[in-house]
Amino acid sequence: MTSEEFRRFGYQAIDWVADYLAHADRYPVLPRVKPGELTDALPSCGPEKGEPMETILADFERLIVPAMTHWNHPGFMAYFANSSPPEAILAEVLATALNGNGMVWKTSPAVTELEQLTLRWLRQWSGLPDDWFGMIHDTASTSSMHAMAAARDAADPQSRTRGAQPGLVVYSSEQSHFANEKGAIAVGIGRDNVRKVPADGEFRMRPDALEELIERDLAAGLKPCCVTATVGTTSTTSVDPVPAIADICETHGIWLHVDAAYAGSAAIVPEFRWAFEGCERADSFVTNPHKWLLTPMDCSIFYTRRPEILRRAFSLAQNAEFLEVGNLTREVNLMEYGVPLGRRFRALKLWFVLRSYGHEGLANMIREHVRLARDFAARIEADPRFELTAPAPFSVVCFRRKGTDDENRALLEKVNAAGDVFLSGTVLNGHFTLHLAVGNQATTAAHIERAWKLITSE
Ligand code: PLP
């Protein structure tokens, strides 16, 4: 492609993006495609000769877009809704143009330094300790896997050479994300050694039950090595009692990891600081700007106050002479703190978002999402046909129609079939329940109203 052609197609693509962002609601949130339909519509072998960009872009619009679930649709209220604002899209284009690879500081100083800088800004805005070390991963699952690797190393420094020894045990509540199980599988602790701590009536980990499980494992000669507390659980956004959990971890010398993948963004809002009490005592902490901080996929922040353990778990600098890893104090080489060597420039989009919205703009967006969610929860509470199934501390509301699980499943299907709203479902206390999450930049009271109409129409 010549630079003239690039300009022409580039303008065309940006025009398409601008239209898409302005009218994402012209598409059904959920695509109306069947499994395999897209695959069948595309050639089964790649082209022998290159094809013209006109044809590729036309196929993008004709085939790819209709097979997308539109996370940028303002009616997307499933899971943890999020969005990609134009500022971040521009940053992604520029990052790709630069094609930087932050394997080590020298291979792209800006990639490493902007990552350190943006994570420092966020720590300051969130009231998290200033001396924490941070890095960006693709997902919270990867971040939590690194927490578990560090915890394993802290408990058994030989594990990096000999492999994980039997007997290590990790803990998280029955409401925690399965990322914890995957982490335990990945670092060789094993799924059988993941304890699911019972939760209380408001879906928060019970510290007394945690203590009991730890004592039982110790008595059996096992080695408790990591507790994951969740601030903002996946189903209900409940907040585990981090101070009490931190006490237990300190008593037994166990690594405390905090999973704040969704709710971590709310730490920038002073009214929500209560949810992060005790987090300053964590050994590691994950928050995903790609969940609630206007940053597109993918951007997960992993902080630790013990970077030396993380580094001990992963550093192979002495085996990486070809990278000429330097040793200057200001030269951070992130490959030494985790699995990935190659590292794309994720911090650029985060930097664009933090700068263009500012602390105030982002905090106000979160406040507005919480306000919309509370308004919806109030409607549910006021209608005798429905009930809230969990407290709603942030921007997620769990509710059900009083009736059977089948009726609630049918209700969810009906609401989603309309095409302009997408809610998800979960199971709480053994009952199917609906989950409405406000988190998209474009979601307004009108979209909540539309969801309410669909939910209540007979
Ligand atoms: N932790 C929590 C509390 C989550 O809700 C999720 C996903 O929703 C994850 C971890 C996993 O996130 P990711 O998709 O970034 O791996």
Side-chain angles (χ1 to χ4, degrees), residues 333-451:
N333 294 306
L334 291 170
M335 65 158 271
E336 297 194 52
Y337 295 86
V339 173
L341 169 60
R343 160 170 299 275
R344 74 186 199 87
F345 201 174
R346 296 190 184 93
L348 194 68
K349 61 186 169 189
L350 184 60
W351 189 60
F352 270 45
V353 167
L354 299 185
R355 289 191 61 179
S356 46
Y357 289 82
H359 186 177
E360 190 181 274
L362 291 168
N364 284 340
M365 177 203 68
I366 286 174
R367 288 189 180 104
E368 175 61 5
H369 289 166
V370 173
R371 191 188 70 76
L372 291 173
R374 290 197 174 147
D375 176 66
F376 179 78
R379 291 173 187 235
I380 293 286
E381 267 184 310
D383 190 318
R385 292 169 296 174
F386 294 91
E387 60 186 345
L388 291 176
T389 46
F394 300 107
S395 69
V396 168
V397 182
C398 292
F399 66 99
R400 71 196 306 274
R401 198 184 161 100
K402 290 174 187 160
T404 64
D405 279 5
D406 283 348
E407 282 163 0
N408 277 282
R409 283 181 206 280
L411 173 62
L412 181 62
E413 221 167 274
K414 183 193 82 174
V415 169
N416 289 345
D420 49 358
V421 165
F422 175 33
L423 309 183
S424 51
T426 184
V427 174
L428 294 176
N429 293 326
H431 289 295
F432 187 77
T433 187
L434 285 79
H435 168 116
L436 178 145
V438 187
N440 187 294
Q441 185 182 25
T443 301
T444 64
H447 301 100
I448 303 293
E449 179 66 34
R450 174 67 180 146

Side-chain angles (χ1 to χ4, degrees), residues 80 138-142 177 179 230 232-234 259 261-262 288 290-291 300:
F80 288 130
D138 51 359
T139 59
S141 304
T142 301
H177 194 269
T230 311
T233 55
T234 311
D259 178 353
Y262 153 75
N288 280 6
H290 77 226
K291 288 212 194 303
S300 173

